Amino acid sequence: MEALGTFIQKLSLPRKIIITTHVKPDADALGSSLGLSNYLIKKGHEVTVISPSDYPNFLTWMKGNEKVLDFSKEAHKKQALRKLEEAEVIFCLDFSVLNRVNELGELIRQSKAYIVNIDHHQDPEDFAQFRLWSTAAAATCELVYELIVTLGDKELIDKSIASCLYAGILTDTGGFRHPNTTKNVHLVVAELLEAGANATEIANLIYDSNSLNRLKFIGFALTRRLVVREDLHLAYFAITKKDLKKYQSQTGDTEGLVNYALSLEGVKMAALFSEREDGIKISFRSSVDVAVNKFAAAHFGGGGHKNAAGGKSGLSLKKTLARFEALVQEQQIELFSS
Ligand code: 5GP
Ligand code: MN
């Protein structure tokens, strides 16, 4: 691992830069990518943001969104590959294991570019020459803000950069509710508001842009697809491919659903299983004392944060659920005793 000095030196000349983030980017992933991109462009660099997949419509207001290349789209892939080949610096934001970016992972591993990793997830892989990593940070956007300040460029943070960074902090703290909502979070957010971010506007763009289909889907999921196991302090949703089709589900439509399960009184662990083309995607959430990232890593090839993690399963939905319940039953003392 090299020091900050080398990193600063690398960026002292105009560079060809790629910024990438994890598959199905959320507000922190896209906000940190576009916030950093808008800043680096101001510094004279040539920057391309590549996402491994599409992302929800409620994030498309961010400045620079129209230029993001979606690596899963044939129409963008060629250009993205060319940009990757030319890249002198690659920033990897909001993830720290290369399997979070699908095929891009191998390309990053093999790249001759200077790799930078900025992230706040646990158990990072060692693939970067420079790492700005802290699990104490609530969001990658918080780290990007601090990096810009460390580089002496606080005054370059304008309304659009501040808005991107604010969005990531807003959502990764669950609207300033999760235990990661520290004094520093509020201090950073105060500076972002000062720089022009509008809290009401951003909250509206992110939280108040539901389609009628999505609201109906949430109603359906709550009435028909929620399983509560009081004996295990557990509640989870199991959503089939058919359900997603019936409600014309768009990317992002299942986001936040798992929190309804966790909000049930007495529930310490919640999950959302959704049947996708490439297998079962799982979201885990937990109350403060339960470490779902360890559970996700041990049993579902995933990871994340202590109270918000994800994973996947190659089994059928039915078999995945049976395995999940058996694992929770088996491990409940370990899971719920701390
Ligand atoms: P979500 O449930 O919102 O998709 O993800 C919750 C958290 O877990 C996020 O911080 C996300 O980055 C992380 N996460 C989700 N899926 C995976 C996964 O498959 N592997 C790892 N390492 N982290 C994941
Ligand atoms: Mn994040």
Side-chain angles (χ1 to χ4, degrees):
M1 199 74 54
E2 291 174 27
L4 182 66
T6 320
F7 170 78
I8 292 173
Q9 214 173 11
K10 275 272 165 203
L11 293 185
S12 64
L13 295 171
R15 297 287 186 189
K16 290 191 168 72
I17 296 177
I18 296 282
I19 298 175
T20 191
T21 188
H22 61 77
V23 69
K24 295 284 172 188
D26 54 15
D28 190 33
L30 195 71
S32 59
S33 298
L34 288 173
L36 179 66
S37 162
N38 291 322
Y39 159 72
L40 291 171
I41 289 169
K42 276 189 157 181
K43 294 289 282 181
H45 302 286
E46 187 192 313
V47 189
T48 307
V49 177
I50 303 177
S51 167
S53 72
D54 65 344
Y55 45 82
N57 271 332
F58 60 78
L59 299 179
T60 54
W61 54 269
M62 292 180 185
K63 185 180 173 190
N65 163 73
E66 65 291 344
K67 294 210 177 95
V68 175
L69 297 177
D70 174 352
F71 204 71
S72 69
K73 277 199 189 124
E74 274 315 309
H76 289 188
K77 202 166 180 167
K78 226 177 178 177
Q79 195 187 350
L81 284 169
R82 204 181 60 239
K83 292 281 182 191
L84 273 163
E85 204 140 285
E86 292 170 355
E88 297 168 284
V89 181
I90 301 178
F91 282 85
C92 298
L93 301 192
D94 203 37
F95 72 92
S96 42
V97 285
L98 287 174
N99 71 6
R100 293 285 287 139
V101 288
N102 296 347
E103 299 164 71
L104 278 171
E106 224 19 68
L107 298 171
I108 292 168
R109 205 189 293 281
Q110 285 163 16
S111 171
K112 295 199 172 55
Y114 182 79
I115 313 284
V116 180
N117 184 204
I118 306 178
D119 185 44
H120 66 138
H121 292 91
Q122 281 169 8
D123 305 320
E125 219 177 282
D126 189 11
F127 63 86
Q129 271 98 53
F130 178 66
R131 188 156 72 196
L132 179 59
W133 175 81
S134 167
T135 52
T140 300
C141 284
E142 185 181 345
L143 294 170
V144 168
Y145 171 81
E146 278 165 1
L147 177 66
I148 298 174
V149 172
T150 303
L151 297 175
D153 288 328
K154 189 175 156 191
E155 74 287 356
L156 291 185
I157 302 179
D158 55 21
K159 178 173 177 166
S160 40
I161 296 174
S163 301
C164 290
L165 300 181
Y166 181 93
I169 300 174
L170 173 70
T171 59
D172 263 26
T173 56
F176 308 109
R177 288 174 57 194
H178 296 333
N180 60 1
T181 311
T182 58
K183 175 182 169 186
N184 193 56
V185 159
H186 282 290
L187 290 172
V188 169
V189 154
E191 297 294 337
L192 296 175
L193 294 175
E194 177 79 17
N198 182 319
T200 314
E201 210 173 273
I202 297 169
N204 282 339
L205 286 164
I206 291 186
Y207 296 121
D208 297 335
S209 58
N210 283 315
S211 66
L212 187 55
N213 266 331
R214 179 173 190 235
L215 284 190
K216 286 183 174 170
F217 168 70
I218 293 171
F220 164 80
L222 284 168
T223 42
R224 303 284 301 278
R225 296 289 183 257
L226 179 62
V227 178
V228 183
R229 287 284 308 263
E230 269 175 55
D231 55 325
L232 298 178
H233 303 286
L234 178 70
Y236 65 85
F237 291 98
I239 309 292
T240 67
K241 230 187 266 182
K242 243 177 149 175
D243 297 338
L244 295 171
K245 199 165 168 211
K246 185 173 167 200
Y247 288 91
Q248 293 166 40
S249 175
Q250 305 292 312
T251 295
D253 277 4
T254 53
E255 210 166 297
L257 185 61
V258 63
N259 295 319
Y260 287 103
L262 189 66
S263 74
L264 264 173
E265 202 178 354
V267 166
K268 294 184 179 177
M269 182 173 175
L272 164 68
F273 298 83
S274 42
E275 197 181 26
R276 308 280 169 168
E277 285 311 321
D278 53 350
I280 311 293
K281 180 188 178 298
I282 315 168
S283 284
F284 296 104
R285 297 291 185 273
S286 60
S287 54
V288 179
D289 296 333
V290 182
V292 277
N293 56 344
K294 288 195 183 132
F295 182 81
H299 308 294
F300 293 97
H305 309 288
K306 186 179 176 193
N307 303 125
K312 40 199 162 300
S313 162
L315 300 174
S316 69
L317 184 58
K318 204 170 157 196
K319 282 190 178 149
T320 302
L321 298 176
R323 179 164 176 258
F324 170 66
E325 282 205 16
L327 283 166
V328 176
Q329 183 128 33
E330 217 176 274
Q331 294 177 23
Q332 56 176 317
I333 296 173
E334 209 179 299
L335 268 168
F336 302 140
S337 62
S338 53

